[in-house]
Amino acid sequence: MWLPKPNRKRSARRRGLPLAAEIVLIGVILAGAAAAAPPPGETRSTTPPGLHAGDNIPEFSAIDQNGRTQTLAALAGKNGLVLLFFRSADW
């Protein structure tokens, strides 16, 4: 099998971004990481926001397709209520 001889005149530096662009990119990444860090003495919560499994949902109201205001208490019966949020692939 024939293989070309390596070109020894070519620089050892890999192809890609110029060095100046790499330095700027690294600076932007480091600046973003510093901005995302909490201030000294503070810690950020690691729990995601919103409701968690088993939490009760807060009281809310919404307007239905007929223009009437519906509340959670009006929709929930003695057996409770199931809210299903379904997003189809064609939205």
Side-chain angles (χ1 to χ4, degrees):
M1 172 161 61
W2 178 83
L3 294 174
K5 292 182 181 178
N7 187 352
R8 301 209 187 269
K9 295 179 183 177
R10 188 178 297 166
S11 169
R13 180 152 165 72
R14 63 178 168 76
R15 291 184 184 189
L17 292 175
L19 181 61
E22 288 182 6
I23 292 172
V24 169
L25 182 61
I26 291 170
V28 168
I29 291 171
L30 291 175
E42 279 188 32
T43 57
R44 293 209 175 137
S45 174
T46 58
T47 58
L51 298 174
H52 305 286
D55 288 351
N56 290 328
I57 58 175
E59 184 64 35
F60 69 92
S61 63
I63 298 175
D64 66 8
Q65 67 272 23
N66 298 321
R68 295 184 303 228
T69 301
Q70 301 289 337
T71 63
L72 178 64
L75 294 173
K78 65 178 182 174
N79 294 328
L81 174 71
V82 174
L83 293 177
L84 175 64
F85 297 97
F86 177 75
R87 183 175 186 265
S88 66
D90 62 345
W91 281 15

